[in-house]
Amino acid sequence: MAEAIYDAMGSVLTRWTMGSAAAPAAAVWSAELGAEPAEAELRLLALSGQFLGVAVTAEPPELRVLPDIPALALPTVPEALRPLVHRILNAFKETQRKTELLDFLAARGWTTHPAEWMPTANDEDAPDVYAPWRDWAGIAASNCVVRRQAGDRLTADNWEDFWPAARKVALTELRRRDPEVARAVLEAKLASENADVRLPLLSLLATGLSEADIPFLEGIAANDRAPKVKALAASLLARLSRGPTVGEDIAELAGFFSVKMKGLLRRSRVIQFENVKTPAQMHRRAALLESADIASLARALMLTPQELVDAWNWDVDRQADAALVGLVARTGTDSLVAQTAEAASQCNASAFLATLTPRLVPGQRSELAEKVLRTRGFSFDVAKTIAGGTARLENPMTAPAGTALLAALRRDDAKPSDELTELFALGLIASRAAARQALERLNGAGLLQGDPRLDMLRLNAALDDNGAEP
Amino acid sequence: MAIDLKAIEQLATDQSSLKAAAGLAKPAKWSGVGVSYDGALVWGECAGSGANPYRVMADLRDLGNKCTCPSRKFPCKHVLGLLWLKAEAVVPFAPADTPAWVSDWLGRRRAGAGTSKAPPSVAPSAAKDLRAARQTEPEVVEDPKDAARREAAAAKRSEDTERAILDALDALEQWIGDQLRMGLSAFVDDVTARCRRIAARLVDGKAAVLAGRIDELPGRLLALPPGDRPRGAVVELGKLVLLARAFRTTPRDAEIRRAVAASETREAVLTNPQTLRVNARWEVLAEQVQTRRDGLVSQTTWLLSLNNDGPRFAMLLDFFPASVGRRGSVFTPGERFQGELAFYPSRQPLRALLVAREAVEDATSPEWPTPEMVLADTLTSPLLAEPWTIEIPVLLPAGRIALDDAGHPWWRSADGASTLPVAGSAEGLLCGTDLKRTAAIWSGNRLTILAAQTSWGRVSGHG
């Protein structure tokens, strides 16, 4: 019977779609439809509707099942704290804040629940622990049916077996453990990747950078097809004091600076800025600084890079400060980066610290953040920019920023949305104990316990600290 | 932080609000009453005329307040009632962590909103009197002749309504016949305008619920892939014929009347001896909020009973005017509570009213019940009782989401015996893990996933 109805349905539907009477085509129901044509159409419609309503659409021949979302190396946040994480993630649109929260969770030994947040395949900023999820997202977005099996240790032979994010993490780990082998793998495989992939892979050489990397980097700097990749190789070479030979450009750049002596008893060098009276001169200096490296500039001024940073005259020429910080971040050695960050943190150039901090290790970043909070009276937000999501500062509320925050919250015209940024930053950089103390202080200052501005502090105070020390 | 009755008197916009608040300042109307540890925030849930209780909250520091009811008065009677409960300590306010819905409101509110200053347009506070608000009206003894006259008038009105509905249904059938004659291809192309016209005729004919259904028909039809629309039109129009015929046969049947004309009032459902009352542990599966073409917003909350007596769904349905603005959610998906529901009398009880809700329970146990029937029966048996039904809630057994060539999702049972197309898109966790149980709405040709249980815990679906 059902088959006969199925057979009839084709022509019934065609007739109705075109606008002609369908009852004559449904002989199987002729007894039920009766003889009156208009009534027969309505009855047929009721019967057909019921039939088609329960006849399930046929399954397509090919269905693709995605692989399971893998478990990560760290557990997901405890069930009870998921709503809090969810609310914080939703409260901020900026990717940077999300990344800071993810870094914070990872530093504490936790990851988000996949229902709350998952990275996309291109989320380069997500902490490494999310690499398996990034690869899963890559598989979901591609047409691959089968997941490739990744071995434990990355080699040139099993390069293709790794999905991109896992490969990057494996290469990072290999570089940390055995820099020579990691470079050899890169030498064998880098050329076969496209420029968007080559750039982040090559940047991994910054870890454990040594003289042994020079030939490989020189080859890239000379021959790579992508200008960005070439520039990165050149900047890595510059960190090894293998910048371009001092040429006319460097000599011209050096002409924008002069080294003077100052002080009567304790004579010290100081850099003075020359030839910056016209916009054209400023533009020229900026362009030259863009393509220079710190070692060459120092050499042209007859200084070492360390002496150049020591002699730098901060807070006089903001554009020059920003350019120097950029130059050091791009081409300075790790120790020079730390020295420059220290020097910049002592003056108003702290605003440029964010350029340098990605090259500092978490411990250095925390120390620097602590220092600017105490000595410079900077806001928690600036300290957060320096420290990222991995700091665990003790007693931040006793810093000037804490006093300023309490005063701002107690103002008569304070609004419920005030100080959102500061409270988030405080919640991110405080240690767990400090977060608990801060909550008490803020509640004492009149903030409600349920105030959503305290969400980050509440999460911090409630989250077990199982992670590694920064 | 203390509040006194004088402040409430000042806060009220008029005497009638105060009077209504006095009626609400009774323990039986309230559940989930609490105060923050610092004493600054109070909240509670108050049974209103809708399916859901209203969530009421106030900040005692400046008397800022919020209620999820659709009242245009600010503050509404529920807020005044809550403050009244607090002022007179009618019920104990247990100190507790601030619920998320109160925190969400705090994050959005502006300072001074709802301060204790009365709005300038209202009458001076002397015009509002708490003592008068407390007084109960003396019962008026009605003349038997008046009562008889009133009953006769009501019967006449009911007869007129029935006549008007039957006329409107005649027009509907005529209209359906016309659509078939002019071709479903043209109908699909012009579905919005055509449905609008017949829906207006049905409103005039006092078949308001049916009009609303037809108003939403284009939305459902156009959500289908173009190739499926003629088939979808046959299903939709066929159900309308069945419903019209059912009404003609039994115009006094409450359930059919509910699908055509109007629903019973909350009081009528609660006092009806045939009303099924179920006291169980419930899980909030999902909340669907939809702005309809008739200017109303429908808020549908899907609940699943966790009692171990087979799957039982409940649907709490509220309407409010879109012009009132966004209304706060009453439930959080995943939330569990012990509560009593009263189901509208029906062959397949589904629509319900929340009569009482007890404290929220932890969301870790127990598991959802076991799907009891063969899946094909679960999908079709409700149609035997109510063939015009559009949405059937189902609890699916273990399964998994798979994707077709075009990336459209399908739910497939673990044994591979059943495969059903899923509405919209499915991404992330929903298609990256086994689904132990899936709660969904089956609408004849698409599955809308409400929530699923997985080894990662509970996952929300399309919501």
Side-chain angles (χ1 to χ4, degrees), chain B residues 176-199:
Chain B
I176 293 172
D178 290 346
Q179 306 316 310
L180 293 178
R181 265 191 300 284
M182 290 186 284
L184 292 181
S185 172
F187 172 68
V188 170
D189 289 344
D190 188 29
V191 64
T192 307
R194 291 191 189 184
C195 286
R196 192 75 272 246
R197 282 196 288 275
I198 188 64

Side-chain angles (χ1 to χ4, degrees), chain A residues 272-394:
Chain A
Q272 293 219 343
F273 306 109
E274 312 282 355
N275 308 322
V276 284
K277 291 196 177 63
T278 67
Q281 288 171 324
M282 297 281 274
H283 282 135
R284 181 61 186 154
R285 187 184 69 178
L288 288 168
L289 280 164
E290 282 279 303
S291 59
D293 70 277
I294 188 72
S296 301
L297 177 61
R299 230 174 2 253
L301 293 170
M302 315 263 254
L303 300 169
T304 64
Q306 288 73 19
E307 286 168 342
L308 172 56
V309 170
D310 271 345
W312 192 260
N313 200 3
W314 297 97
D315 291 346
V316 173
D317 182 337
R318 303 283 288 167
Q319 199 186 52
D321 289 350
L324 177 79
V325 166
L327 193 61
V328 172
R330 212 171 60 246
T331 64
T333 58
D334 290 348
S335 64
L336 189 69
V337 169
Q339 182 196 344
T340 312
E342 181 71 38
S345 71
Q346 303 300 317
C347 55
N348 290 333
S350 318
F352 307 127
L353 280 175
T355 317
L356 293 166
T357 47
R359 288 203 49 201
L360 299 177
V361 295
Q364 287 175 315
R365 295 177 69 166
S366 297
E367 277 175 31
L368 203 56
E370 177 89 43
K371 190 174 276 180
V372 297
L373 271 181
R374 302 273 167 214
T375 58
R376 302 281 305 158
F378 277 22
S379 68
F380 290 132
D381 194 44
V382 172
K384 180 209 72 179
T385 309
I386 296 168
T390 57
R392 293 194 186 96
L393 305 190
E394 301 298 341

Side-chain angles (χ1 to χ4, degrees), chain A residues 412-435:
Chain A
D412 286 343
D413 59 346
K415 293 195 286 291
S417 57
D418 282 352
E419 306 303 326
L420 184 63
T421 310
E422 274 296 87
L423 288 164
F424 173 75
L426 173 63
L428 202 70
I429 60 177
S431 69
R432 190 180 183 194

